Amino acid sequence: MDTYQSFNASGVAGVAGVAGVAVAEASASVWWFKVVVTFLAVVLAYDQLVYKMNKGNIAGSTWKWYPIIGPFMESLDPKFEEYKAKWDSGPLSCVSVFHKFVVIASTRDLSRKIFSSPAFVKPCVVDVAVKILRPSNWVFLDGKAHGDYRKGLNPLFTKQALQIYFPAQEKIVDAYLKKFLAMGETEGATQFFPHFREFLCAISLRTFCGEYISEEQIKLVADNYYKVTAALELVNFPIILPFTKTWYGKKIADETMKIFEGCAAKSKEHIAGGGAPICVMDEWIESMVIARKKEAAGDATSTEAKLLIRDFSNREISEAIFTFLFASQDASSSLACWLFQIIADRPEIATKIREEQLRVRNNDLSTPVTLDLIEEMAYTNACVKESLRYRPPVLMVPYVVKKKFPVTDSYSLPKGSMVVPTLYPALHDPEIYTNPDEYNPDRFMQDPTGSTTNPSEARKNWLVFGTGPHVCLGQTYVMMLFTFMLGKFLLEAELQHEVTPLSEEIKVFATIFPKDDLILKFQKRDPTKV
């Protein structure tokens, strides 16, 4: 009996012990659940509170409908119509994606103010760009460091410097014209977006690196560079994870800059041996040599001394050349797609261009391209300029805010936020450009500003290449290259554009393109006739 009672008591105690442990574990689980829920609630509330505080009185959603990530999923497939809706919503509007608060400035004057405020902002392209293009890259530098680069780079893109590169450029234009005509015969109309990218990558690389870069390397860069663009979307996941777009972008960027380092080394050997400059790299390196000699001789005046540039390493040169390619590749590909589509759809304009080309060449088709020749191509140049206004390749230019920036009387941009001045609205302002949604190159023949109503104000609206301390170095290069290229292609080829429902729709991929990627055919014509 005692044994039974003892056993029963111990059994009850055991059950009670097990139950106690279960209750304790359940209580601990409930406690942890409460901790996790409370933590998430605090994070979500903080995210919304910070958004509301940063938003202030500018346009944008009252609350973040998608906590933390914001409109991240929409950003994976950016649409021009959504951007336009943001511009139309107010002079300043905002979104918040992950940790980044983004303010979009849609008026001309606000955009100009941001471009011209280096004390408050600096270019960032996109968040992940610093990692892909490297923090030491000159486009991210401020003050004297940035000025040192500009001193050396500005002279490389003057009209006088650019004419040195004409022979190499004309060879590539002729080679690809021949290729495009052959494609027209064998393949008919085809999507030209990838072909223009390859062509313009080749012409840029020969201009920047001369013969120091091989045909194989040009093809490798042209094939791979698309992935760098894909990695630099306006909104992207902030961490580079293996085998993602950003990971591939950084890998290819590093490989490409290694190629450019090798080119820089060859260029230094060429210039040191007394060779004449034949490319941008040569011009830059020769200017370093001249500056060094002046300093060593002590014969530089105080004015000249301010302009003397320092020596740049092969790595620094490679990073700068990479940004030249980045800036030129997508923007020039966009311009080519829209320009050739527009002209193909307007045969009366093509006829005017051909008339001008034959006139300035005195009907001699063997006339090589020169600076004087290009400057006579007023109508062809106006067509290029109007295409840049009508379909500006770059819609927006992201900047990061370095310190609190009172951008208007009633709103200050928070430190660390991204601010994005836009270009498109200023270039389609009906008060400046009559019928702004029509392509009309004559507007630039009537007045160099493109405006007959208010030329003085129109100069402020011409934001195609930005303004301020980071204004695009290559604007003269772009205008000269596309003017002579358009003229030459139209003399030799009839453009046949296959119009689709998507031809006039705008696709956003870093820059803008026709949504059908431009289905085009080059057909041989008699260049002596209009």
Side-chain angles (χ1 to χ4, degrees):
M1 186 69 175
D2 290 342
T3 302
Y4 173 76
Q5 288 175 340
S6 175
F7 177 79
N8 190 47
S10 64
V12 170
V15 171
V18 171
V21 171
V23 169
E25 290 177 347
S27 298
S29 297
V30 169
W31 183 82
W32 274 110
F33 177 75
K34 288 180 178 178
V35 168
V36 170
V37 169
T38 301
F39 175 76
L40 289 175
V42 169
V43 168
L44 295 177
Y46 176 76
D47 182 55
Q48 294 285 7
L49 179 64
V50 170
Y51 170 73
K52 289 288 286 184
M53 290 174 62
N54 285 337
K55 178 181 178 297
N57 60 2
I58 66 176
S61 300
T62 305
W63 300 98
K64 289 178 69 172
W65 291 106
Y66 301 101
I68 309 298
I69 67 170
F72 174 67
M73 299 308 293
E74 296 171 20
S75 72
L76 296 178
D77 182 23
K79 293 180 173 57
F80 173 79
E81 295 74 19
E82 292 172 356
Y83 285 142
K84 193 170 187 307
K86 277 287 181 190
W87 305 333
D88 294 341
S89 68
L92 294 172
S93 59
C94 66
V95 295
S96 180
V97 182
F98 290 114
H99 67 300
K100 185 60 67 178
F101 183 71
V102 183
V103 177
I104 300 167
S106 60
T107 68
R108 177 199 72 183
D109 291 339
L110 281 173
S111 292
R112 289 185 68 87
K113 183 174 183 177
I114 293 161
F115 281 133
S116 303
S117 298
F120 291 98
V121 299
K122 67 176 182 178
C124 64
V125 188
V126 293
D127 255 8
V128 78
V130 177
K131 299 172 184 174
I132 293 175
L133 303 180
R134 298 177 183 169
S136 56
N137 203 304
W138 78 286
V139 296
F140 303 124
L141 300 179
D142 269 336
K144 185 179 183 303
H146 182 77
D148 282 347
Y149 270 94
R150 294 288 302 209
K151 276 193 302 185
L153 300 177
N154 283 329
L156 308 181
F157 292 94
T158 63
K159 288 182 179 180
Q160 289 67 33
L162 290 170
Q163 62 185 333
I164 295 172
Y165 320 135
F166 286 158
Q169 290 174 341
E170 195 160 22
K171 281 183 184 178
I172 295 171
V173 168
D174 289 343
Y176 273 87
L177 174 59
K178 184 177 179 181
K179 176 182 178 180
F180 294 160
L181 289 170
M183 284 169 49
E185 290 182 4
T186 58
E187 301 175 31
T190 185
Q191 286 185 329
F192 249 77
F193 165 63
H195 298 301
F196 277 145
R197 281 184 64 86
E198 179 191 323
F199 162 54
L200 289 159
C201 187
I203 207 166
S204 292
L205 289 174
R206 280 284 177 243
T207 302
F208 301 150
C209 302
E211 295 298 323
Y212 309 125
I213 187 166
S214 68
E215 291 291 341
E216 292 76 16
Q217 287 172 326
I218 287 176
K219 187 173 188 331
L220 178 67
V221 173
D223 289 347
N224 285 341
Y225 209 85
Y226 187 89
K227 293 179 181 178
V228 177
T229 302
L232 293 171
E233 294 167 325
L234 180 59
V235 178
N236 220 323
F237 191 70
I239 301 171
I240 296 180
L241 299 175
F243 307 108
T244 60
K245 285 190 287 188
T246 50
W247 184 84
Y248 282 113
K250 176 161 176 50
K251 182 174 182 291
I252 288 164
D254 288 341
E255 291 170 356
T256 304
M257 281 187 255
K258 274 291 180 189
I259 291 173
F260 294 158
E261 281 190 53
C263 294
K266 293 176 185 175
S267 177
K268 285 182 176 178
E269 288 179 13
H270 173 73
I271 297 300
I278 55 171
C279 63
V280 169
M281 222 176 242
D282 284 347
E283 287 272 358
W284 191 9
I285 289 166
E286 185 183 58
S287 67
M288 296 178 208
V289 172
I290 292 171
R292 237 183 359 254
K293 287 179 179 177
K294 282 188 175 183
E295 284 181 315
D299 62 353
T301 66
S302 59
T303 303
E304 287 178 324
K306 292 178 182 177
L307 299 175
L308 293 178
I309 65 168
R310 66 173 177 84
D311 275 327
F312 292 89
S313 68
N314 293 345
R315 178 187 172 94
E316 288 174 318
I317 293 171
S318 76
E319 290 171 353
I321 295 295
F322 188 85
T323 58
F324 293 167
L325 184 62
F326 172 67
S328 66
Q329 176 66 10
D330 296 300
S332 60
S333 298
S334 169
L335 172 57
C337 285
W338 289 113
L339 180 61
F340 281 90
Q341 172 171 302
I342 288 165
I343 302 302
D345 291 344
R346 294 163 176 80
E348 71 284 0
I349 291 178
T351 297
K352 286 185 179 181
I353 292 172
R354 289 177 181 127
E355 288 173 347
E356 179 176 77
Q357 291 298 313
L358 289 172
R359 184 176 68 254
V360 302
R361 295 168 187 272
N362 293 318
N363 294 313
D364 182 0
L365 300 180
S366 65
T367 304
V369 64
T370 63
L371 177 59
D372 290 339
L373 193 69
I374 290 175
E375 289 185 337
E376 289 184 57
M377 301 176 186
Y379 187 76
T380 312
N381 183 275
C383 291
V384 176
K385 201 166 187 179
E386 173 66 348
S387 181
L388 286 167
R389 185 207 64 80
Y390 178 67
R391 288 288 183 265
V394 178
L395 299 177
M396 301 173 286
V397 184
Y399 281 72
V400 65
V401 180
K402 299 191 292 184
K403 62 182 179 180
K404 189 176 180 180
F405 181 11
V407 70
T408 69
D409 292 338
S410 60
Y411 184 76
S412 293
L413 295 165
K415 179 182 177 181
S417 61
M418 181 187 287
V419 61
V420 188
T422 58
L423 314 182
Y424 189 94
L427 295 164
H428 285 254
D429 183 349
E431 294 184 10
I432 299 296
Y433 305 107
T434 306
N435 301 321
D437 293 324
E438 290 182 10
Y439 178 85
N440 177 20
D442 286 332
R443 71 174 85 240
F444 287 101
M445 295 296 287
Q446 294 161 2
D447 189 280
T449 68
S451 175
T452 54
T453 57
N454 202 334
S456 61
E457 285 296 297
R459 290 183 178 86
K460 298 177 184 177
N461 283 61
W462 185 252
L463 291 174
V464 172
F465 299 100
T467 189
H470 289 274
V471 66
C472 177
L473 279 169
Q475 53 185 305
T476 303
Y477 166 77
V478 169
M479 295 304 302
M480 291 171 67
L481 171 63
F482 274 85
T483 297
F484 99 70
M485 181 178 77
L486 176 62
K488 189 146 196 174
F489 277 13
L490 283 180
L491 278 177
E492 300 283 350
E494 199 72 59
L495 303 178
Q496 297 179 4
H497 174 221
E498 188 175 303
V499 180
T500 75
L502 297 178
S503 294
E504 291 297 328
E505 296 291 314
I506 295 174
K507 174 177 72 173
V508 181
F509 180 72
T511 51
I512 63 172
F513 298 91
K515 273 191 179 177
D516 62 5
D517 286 339
L518 177 58
I519 302 173
L520 189 66
K521 176 184 175 181
F522 277 63
Q523 185 171 347
K524 183 69 179 172
R525 65 179 298 278
D526 183 350
T528 65
K529 296 181 180 179
V530 174

